[in-house]
Amino acid sequence: MLQTAAVLIAAIAYALGLLGLRRRGRAVSPLRAAGFYAGIAVLLVAFLSPLDHLGEERLFSAHMAQHLLIGDVAPLLVVLGLDGPLLRPLLAVRAVRRLRVLAHPLVALPLWALNLCIWHLTPLYDAALDHDTVHALQHGLFFLCGTLVWAALLEPLPGPAWFTAGRKLLYVASMWLVSLALSQVFLWSGHVYYARYLQAPRTWGLSPLADQRAGGGVMLVEGSLVMLGVAVWLLLRVFRDSESRQRLLDAGAGADAAARAARYGR
């Protein structure tokens, strides 16, 4: 219930932010706003749909799907909905400005990877299933670290100058490798890691081990599709930037040629 309330408060705060910008004569792209609210919708599906009960009580694969919605898909959409003017009121708070370092590429990526892997260690994962407070903390950290890693990549606020589109491709590849490595652990394991699913009633005829492997497959497919989509977008940016540089070079060469012709009367 607390998680759902936090999501609704975020949706209201965003709407108020849009209203404040409109009153100052500035508007946010409808596509950007749609991205944010799509992220909110994804979170509500994760928390309020049957996926929540299935994941907690019966199927590891359902729980994996829920975690990917909370920690990957929703943060990506939410970050797409943010920009500098919307974030400016938050940045006016000194503590928030100091925390901005967490969205630096060299901080966000290892933080995201460490958080993702640690929560899948058996003791912590079991603790999240057994205690609501720990489970809420797990979900909150999945979303927070997902938001930081996508914010570092998509830059709703300006990032480091060295973090070019080409380097962002390496960043996305690193994210994909982390997701791929963890998915392989579940795909190829010969035993079940989490007691809750070993003892759970069988659903859809899946054995505990088959369910665990299905969860690894869900992670593999989701991660590959998302990272591929982002990689294609970055490649298009690389090509566009290359064409822009070439046009500038051509324009400069043309200006130099014209200057030489004028100088020598040709």
Side-chain angles (χ1 to χ4, degrees), residues 70-232:
I70 295 169
D72 199 21
V73 178
L76 173 58
L77 293 168
V78 164
V79 170
L80 286 172
L82 301 176
D83 64 3
L86 276 167
L87 292 171
R88 190 167 291 125
L90 283 176
L91 295 175
V93 181
R94 182 180 300 177
V96 174
R97 288 201 305 273
R98 290 176 177 172
L99 290 175
R100 187 181 166 186
V101 68
L102 296 177
H104 188 282
L106 297 182
V107 177
L109 181 58
L111 193 63
W112 169 82
L114 187 64
N115 181 71
L116 180 65
C117 294
I118 282 180
W119 277 111
H120 285 92
L121 295 175
T122 301
L124 277 178
Y125 198 99
D126 284 342
L129 289 174
D130 292 337
H131 304 284
D132 289 343
T133 304
V134 180
H135 206 178
L137 175 64
Q138 180 193 55
H139 287 171
L141 287 175
F142 277 151
F143 179 78
L144 174 62
C145 291
T147 300
L148 291 173
V149 81
W150 286 122
L153 182 74
L154 300 177
E155 296 182 342
L157 296 172
W162 58 263
F163 199 38
T164 60
R167 290 191 173 103
K168 287 179 180 180
L169 279 170
L170 295 177
Y171 183 92
V172 170
S174 299
M175 290 177 65
W176 181 73
L177 286 174
V178 171
S179 178
L180 176 66
L182 187 57
S183 71
Q184 299 307 298
V185 171
F186 298 118
L187 274 170
W188 300 107
S189 174
H191 65 278
V192 177
Y193 291 112
Y194 310 118
R196 172 73 60 89
Y197 303 114
L198 192 61
Q199 302 161 3
R202 300 280 45 86
T203 303
W204 301 331
L206 286 172
S207 69
L209 190 57
D211 171 42
Q212 183 169 278
R213 288 174 175 168
V218 169
M219 174 175 266
L220 174 63
V221 171
E222 186 275 343
S224 298
L225 289 175
V226 170
M227 301 307 171
L228 179 62
V230 174
V232 169

Side-chain angles (χ1 to χ4, degrees), residues 45-68:
V45 167
F47 293 140
L48 300 178
S49 73
L51 197 63
D52 183 58
H53 173 75
L54 275 174
E56 286 193 30
E57 303 296 337
R58 289 176 173 267
L59 293 172
F60 170 76
S61 53
H63 208 192
M64 177 65 78
Q66 183 190 41
H67 285 174
L68 292 171

Side-chain angles (χ1 to χ4, degrees), residues 2-16 36-37 40 44:
L2 183 61
Q3 297 171 101
T4 305
V7 172
L8 294 176
I9 289 171
I12 293 170
Y14 188 84
L16 292 175
F36 183 90
Y37 282 112
I40 293 294
L44 292 176

